[in-house]
Tab-separated table of all heavy atoms in Angstrom:
chain	number	residue	atom	x	y	z
A	1	GLU	N	0.834	-1.210	0.000
A	1	GLU	CA	0.000	0.000	0.000
A	1	GLU	C	0.866	1.256	0.000
A	1	GLU	O	1.897	1.316	0.673
A	1	GLU	CB	-0.905	0.003	1.243
A	1	GLU	CG	-1.938	-1.111	1.204
A	1	GLU	CD	-2.760	-1.223	2.480
A	1	GLU	OE1	-2.492	-0.479	3.449
A	1	GLU	OE2	-3.673	-2.076	2.502
A	2	VAL	N	0.411	2.243	-0.761
A	2	VAL	CA	1.074	3.546	-0.792
A	2	VAL	C	0.019	4.600	-0.480
A	2	VAL	O	-1.013	4.675	-1.156
A	2	VAL	CB	1.722	3.825	-2.174
A	2	VAL	CG1	2.352	5.214	-2.194
A	2	VAL	CG2	2.773	2.755	-2.495
A	3	ILE	N	0.269	5.377	0.561
A	3	ILE	CA	-0.694	6.416	0.955
A	3	ILE	C	-0.529	7.620	0.034
A	3	ILE	O	0.571	8.161	-0.123
A	3	ILE	CB	-0.498	6.825	2.426
A	3	ILE	CG1	-0.803	5.616	3.335
A	3	ILE	CG2	-1.397	8.008	2.788
A	3	ILE	CD1	-0.471	5.842	4.801
A	4	VAL	N	-1.653	8.012	-0.579
A	4	VAL	CA	-1.657	9.132	-1.517
A	4	VAL	C	-2.687	10.152	-1.033
A	4	VAL	O	-3.894	9.930	-1.174
A	4	VAL	CB	-2.011	8.660	-2.945
A	4	VAL	CG1	-1.935	9.826	-3.932
A	4	VAL	CG2	-1.103	7.518	-3.398
A	5	PRO	N	-2.240	11.260	-0.413
A	5	PRO	CA	-3.207	12.283	0.000
A	5	PRO	C	-3.910	12.880	-1.220
A	5	PRO	O	-3.272	13.134	-2.244
A	5	PRO	CB	-2.335	13.341	0.694
A	5	PRO	CG	-1.090	12.607	1.104
A	5	PRO	CD	-0.869	11.596	0.013
A	6	ALA	N	-5.227	13.068	-1.111
A	6	ALA	CA	-5.990	13.711	-2.184
A	6	ALA	C	-6.437	15.085	-1.703
A	6	ALA	O	-6.766	15.228	-0.530
A	6	ALA	CB	-7.202	12.869	-2.548
A	7	PRO	N	-6.431	16.089	-2.582
A	7	PRO	CA	-6.130	16.057	-4.008
A	7	PRO	C	-4.670	15.659	-4.289
A	7	PRO	O	-3.757	16.117	-3.599
A	7	PRO	CB	-6.375	17.504	-4.446
A	7	PRO	CG	-7.228	18.114	-3.381
A	7	PRO	CD	-6.824	17.448	-2.119
A	8	TYR	N	-4.504	14.806	-5.302
A	8	TYR	CA	-3.162	14.360	-5.672
A	8	TYR	C	-2.894	14.707	-7.132
A	8	TYR	O	-3.820	14.916	-7.925
A	8	TYR	CB	-3.018	12.845	-5.477
A	8	TYR	CG	-4.166	12.024	-6.014
A	8	TYR	CD1	-4.394	11.915	-7.396
A	8	TYR	CD2	-5.043	11.348	-5.154
A	8	TYR	CE1	-5.452	11.157	-7.887
A	8	TYR	CE2	-6.100	10.596	-5.655
A	8	TYR	CZ	-6.301	10.504	-7.013
A	8	TYR	OH	-7.344	9.770	-7.511
A	9	TRP	N	-1.610	14.729	-7.477
A	9	TRP	CA	-1.239	14.879	-8.882
A	9	TRP	C	-1.684	13.615	-9.622
A	9	TRP	O	-1.534	12.503	-9.098
A	9	TRP	CB	0.267	15.096	-8.995
A	9	TRP	CG	0.750	15.250	-10.404
A	9	TRP	CD1	0.221	16.067	-11.374
A	9	TRP	CD2	1.868	14.594	-11.001
A	9	TRP	NE1	0.948	15.941	-12.532
A	9	TRP	CE2	1.958	15.040	-12.338
A	9	TRP	CE3	2.804	13.659	-10.538
A	9	TRP	CZ2	2.944	14.593	-13.208
A	9	TRP	CZ3	3.783	13.225	-11.394
A	9	TRP	CH2	3.847	13.693	-12.722
A	10	VAL	N	-2.229	13.791	-10.811
A	10	VAL	CA	-2.905	12.694	-11.518
A	10	VAL	C	-2.067	11.422	-11.652
A	10	VAL	O	-2.611	10.319	-11.662
A	10	VAL	CB	-3.370	13.127	-12.934
A	10	VAL	CG1	-4.422	14.215	-12.847
A	10	VAL	CG2	-2.205	13.594	-13.796
A	11	SER	N	-0.746	11.549	-11.743
A	11	SER	CA	0.075	10.359	-12.051
A	11	SER	C	0.421	9.496	-10.840
A	11	SER	O	0.812	8.342	-11.015
A	11	SER	CB	1.375	10.786	-12.755
A	11	SER	OG	1.084	11.396	-13.992
A	12	TYR	N	0.297	10.023	-9.614
A	12	TYR	CA	0.730	9.223	-8.454
A	12	TYR	C	0.024	7.869	-8.347
A	12	TYR	O	0.687	6.832	-8.275
A	12	TYR	CB	0.545	9.977	-7.134
A	12	TYR	CG	1.372	11.230	-6.945
A	12	TYR	CD1	0.883	12.291	-6.195
A	12	TYR	CD2	2.655	11.353	-7.488
A	12	TYR	CE1	1.634	13.448	-6.004
A	12	TYR	CE2	3.402	12.509	-7.303
A	12	TYR	CZ	2.881	13.560	-6.561
A	12	TYR	OH	3.611	14.698	-6.361
A	13	PRO	N	-1.320	7.836	-8.312
A	13	PRO	CA	-1.973	6.530	-8.151
A	13	PRO	C	-1.671	5.602	-9.331
A	13	PRO	O	-1.552	4.390	-9.155
A	13	PRO	CB	-3.474	6.853	-8.100
A	13	PRO	CG	-3.578	8.316	-7.964
A	13	PRO	CD	-2.295	8.938	-8.393
A	14	GLU	N	-1.535	6.189	-10.521
A	14	GLU	CA	-1.271	5.379	-11.716
A	14	GLU	C	0.110	4.733	-11.629
A	14	GLU	O	0.310	3.584	-12.028
A	14	GLU	CB	-1.386	6.239	-12.976
A	14	GLU	CG	-2.738	6.946	-13.126
A	14	GLU	CD	-3.926	5.998	-13.106
A	14	GLU	OE1	-3.841	4.911	-13.702
A	14	GLU	OE2	-4.955	6.342	-12.474
A	15	MET	N	1.094	5.473	-11.103
A	15	MET	CA	2.438	4.918	-10.930
A	15	MET	C	2.428	3.779	-9.910
A	15	MET	O	3.125	2.771	-10.076
A	15	MET	CB	3.406	6.011	-10.476
A	15	MET	CG	3.738	7.031	-11.552
A	15	MET	SD	4.658	8.407	-10.812
A	15	MET	CE	5.009	9.400	-12.262
A	16	VAL	N	1.636	3.953	-8.855
A	16	VAL	CA	1.524	2.891	-7.839
A	16	VAL	C	0.911	1.641	-8.481
A	16	VAL	O	1.377	0.517	-8.258
A	16	VAL	CB	0.690	3.365	-6.624
A	16	VAL	CG1	0.437	2.214	-5.654
A	16	VAL	CG2	1.393	4.526	-5.907
A	17	LYS	N	-0.105	1.855	-9.319
A	17	LYS	CA	-0.736	0.726	-10.016
A	17	LYS	C	0.258	0.039	-10.953
A	17	LYS	O	0.254	-1.183	-11.092
A	17	LYS	CB	-1.954	1.209	-10.814
A	17	LYS	CG	-3.178	1.520	-9.971
A	17	LYS	CD	-4.394	1.637	-10.881
A	17	LYS	CE	-4.986	3.013	-10.896
A	17	LYS	NZ	-5.942	3.231	-11.986
A	18	LEU	N	1.095	0.833	-11.587
A	18	LEU	CA	2.118	0.295	-12.491
A	18	LEU	C	3.044	-0.656	-11.736
A	18	LEU	O	3.496	-1.664	-12.269
A	18	LEU	CB	2.923	1.469	-13.067
A	18	LEU	CG	3.724	1.281	-14.337
A	18	LEU	CD1	2.862	0.779	-15.479
A	18	LEU	CD2	4.382	2.603	-14.744
A	19	ALA	N	3.317	-0.322	-10.467
A	19	ALA	CA	4.177	-1.170	-9.630
A	19	ALA	C	3.382	-2.312	-8.987
A	19	ALA	O	3.923	-3.054	-8.165
A	19	ALA	CB	4.830	-0.315	-8.546
A	20	GLU	N	2.098	-2.429	-9.362
A	20	GLU	CA	1.186	-3.441	-8.809
A	20	GLU	C	0.938	-3.252	-7.320
A	20	GLU	O	0.643	-4.191	-6.586
A	20	GLU	CB	1.679	-4.865	-9.126
A	20	GLU	CG	1.746	-5.153	-10.621
A	20	GLU	CD	2.277	-6.546	-10.915
A	20	GLU	OE1	1.681	-7.521	-10.428
A	20	GLU	OE2	3.298	-6.639	-11.624
A	21	GLY	N	1.112	-2.014	-6.882
A	21	GLY	CA	0.776	-1.674	-5.506
A	21	GLY	C	-0.655	-1.164	-5.439
A	21	GLY	O	-1.357	-1.080	-6.455
A	22	LYS	N	-1.074	-0.802	-4.212
A	22	LYS	CA	-2.450	-0.340	-4.013
A	22	LYS	C	-2.420	1.099	-3.484
A	22	LYS	O	-1.895	1.325	-2.383
A	22	LYS	CB	-3.135	-1.270	-3.009
A	22	LYS	CG	-4.578	-0.906	-2.743
A	22	LYS	CD	-5.240	-1.939	-1.822
A	22	LYS	CE	-6.638	-1.481	-1.457
A	22	LYS	NZ	-6.837	-1.187	-0.050
A	23	PRO	N	-2.926	2.071	-4.270
A	23	PRO	CA	-2.990	3.431	-3.742
A	23	PRO	C	-4.053	3.522	-2.652
A	23	PRO	O	-5.183	3.082	-2.852
A	23	PRO	CB	-3.392	4.283	-4.955
A	23	PRO	CG	-3.529	3.364	-6.120
A	23	PRO	CD	-3.491	1.958	-5.624
A	24	VAL	N	-3.683	4.048	-1.490
A	24	VAL	CA	-4.640	4.263	-0.405
A	24	VAL	C	-4.845	5.773	-0.315
A	24	VAL	O	-3.946	6.516	0.083
A	24	VAL	CB	-4.100	3.706	0.931
A	24	VAL	CG1	-5.026	4.073	2.088
A	24	VAL	CG2	-3.925	2.193	0.829
A	25	VAL	N	-6.012	6.207	-0.732
A	25	VAL	CA	-6.261	7.643	-0.864
A	25	VAL	C	-6.809	8.212	0.445
A	25	VAL	O	-7.762	7.677	1.012
A	25	VAL	CB	-7.226	7.919	-2.037
A	25	VAL	CG1	-7.603	9.396	-2.104
A	25	VAL	CG2	-6.585	7.475	-3.356
A	26	VAL	N	-6.168	9.273	0.930
A	26	VAL	CA	-6.612	9.968	2.146
A	26	VAL	C	-7.036	11.368	1.711
A	26	VAL	O	-6.231	12.131	1.186
A	26	VAL	CB	-5.460	10.063	3.174
A	26	VAL	CG1	-5.910	10.849	4.395
A	26	VAL	CG2	-4.991	8.672	3.570
A	27	THR	N	-8.307	11.675	1.922
A	27	THR	CA	-8.852	12.916	1.352
A	27	THR	C	-8.831	14.078	2.336
A	27	THR	O	-9.258	13.951	3.477
A	27	THR	CB	-10.304	12.675	0.880
A	27	THR	OG1	-10.287	11.573	-0.028
A	27	THR	CG2	-10.868	13.882	0.169
A	28	ALA	N	-8.322	15.213	1.852
A	28	ALA	CA	-8.329	16.454	2.634
A	28	ALA	C	-9.103	17.495	1.831
A	28	ALA	O	-8.718	17.822	0.710
A	28	ALA	CB	-6.900	16.925	2.880
C-alpha cells in the first residue's frame, strides 16, 4: 500500500498501479 493524500497529482496513483501496488487515498 502507498498512501496518496488527495487532491493528488494525476500520475501518483497510476504509478503505484504500475508497480502493482495499491494506492490508499486519504482525502483532505
Side-chain angles (χ1 to χ4, degrees):
E1 293 174 356
V2 178
I3 296 172
V4 183
Y8 46 69
W9 180 48
V10 296
S11 297
Y12 296 149
E14 304 304 320
M15 289 171 177
V16 173
K17 285 194 245 166
L18 200 56
E20 298 178 57
K22 181 175 174 245
V24 173
V25 175
V26 177
T27 305

